[in-house]
Amino acid sequence: MLLFRSEQHVDRWCQQWNRPRGGTLSLAQGWKLAQLWYGDRLDSQWRSKSASEAESVFREVGLVGEFWKLNV
Amino acid sequence: MAIGTKTSSTFDQQLRLFVYRYLLRHEKCPRVAEMAKGLARSAKNVRAGLARLSESHAFMMQEDGELWRVAPFSCIPTGFPVRVGRKLWFGNCIWDALGIPAMLAKDARIGAACACCNYDMPIEIRNGKLQTTRGLIHIAVAAREWYKDVVFT
């Protein structure tokens, strides 16, 4: 999960490394995702998210579609 | 990232919290020997606990049995340094780098650059808010494949 200046730089990177274009999100979405994902990590009873819980977090951040699905 | 619910034993919870507390205090991951000493358990017990904690991928191990990743922290230096006050940690990727101030609920400065051209793109978090919105994050691998190709993810 890498940071880029622009869509054009993402395309250039994908071409250089022979990778298909993946998913993109804004830095603001990334920050919200990080808060939802890691905000409870120091809780003593923390447990990893189920696939459904993870998908719910993605939806909350606006990340929807086949790329973000975990339950198949 | 960490997906896949798993019930933890009391020891695993103690081990998990020991690792995070050590990391926060020392700015580096504990070695197996340090975990064994700190928890008064054998290295074998610790390795078994780390293996269980790694099942969710929140923890990941190096080939030598030491920690590689304690999400969102990297146990080895990366291109995502995260400064919180006088402390310095490293994220595994931009999401994890953002995850460190998110987890700590602290202001932070993240050293980051465009993965394509290395253009400097530092990020600051202040009072729980991003101070810049420039740039975008690309995830090369679909969510269900993340742990099959961690390097490119």
Side-chain angles (χ1 to χ4, degrees), chain A:
Chain A
M1 302 176 188
L2 299 171
L3 184 66
F4 292 86
R5 294 172 77 170
S6 66
E7 297 278 355
Q8 289 81 0
H9 283 242
V10 173
D11 289 335
R12 204 179 296 168
W13 182 88
C14 290
Q15 191 173 11
Q16 175 162 2
W17 297 102
N18 295 315
R19 306 294 299 189
R21 175 81 177 215
T24 55
L25 56 156
S26 69
L27 198 55
Q29 283 176 302
W31 173 233
K32 187 173 180 186
L33 181 63
Q35 289 176 296
L36 292 170
W37 204 263
Y38 287 117
D40 63 350
R41 195 55 62 107
L42 290 176
D43 291 354
S44 61
Q45 299 300 315
W46 177 88
R47 61 171 179 78
S48 57
K49 291 174 177 57
S50 68
S52 296
E53 289 168 336
E55 284 184 345
S56 176
V57 169
F58 297 155
R59 274 195 304 276
E60 194 171 339
V61 180
L63 304 173
V64 294
E66 193 62 27
F67 188 87
W68 297 99
K69 282 187 182 167
L70 292 161
N71 286 312
V72 286

Side-chain angles (χ1 to χ4, degrees), chain B residues 7-80:
Chain B
T7 303
S8 298
S9 71
T10 302
F11 173 64
D12 291 356
Q13 289 175 4
Q14 289 172 345
L15 177 59
R16 196 182 74 81
L17 289 173
F18 178 90
V19 169
Y20 279 112
R21 287 170 184 153
Y22 186 103
L23 238 168
L24 295 179
R25 182 171 183 184
H26 299 283
E27 302 167 73
K28 63 180 182 180
C29 294
R31 298 182 64 80
V32 169
E34 291 167 319
M35 292 179 253
K37 185 179 179 186
L39 292 164
R41 300 291 285 260
S42 68
K44 186 179 176 184
N45 281 165
V46 168
R47 286 198 185 92
L50 292 175
R52 289 189 296 273
L53 290 169
S54 298
E55 288 174 15
S56 72
H57 303 288
F59 283 21
M60 297 180 84
M61 311 304 297
Q62 300 181 54
E63 287 182 359
D64 65 0
E66 299 294 343
L67 285 163
W68 168 26
R69 175 179 192 251
V70 176
F73 301 93
S74 173
C75 300
I76 55 177
T78 69
F80 300 97

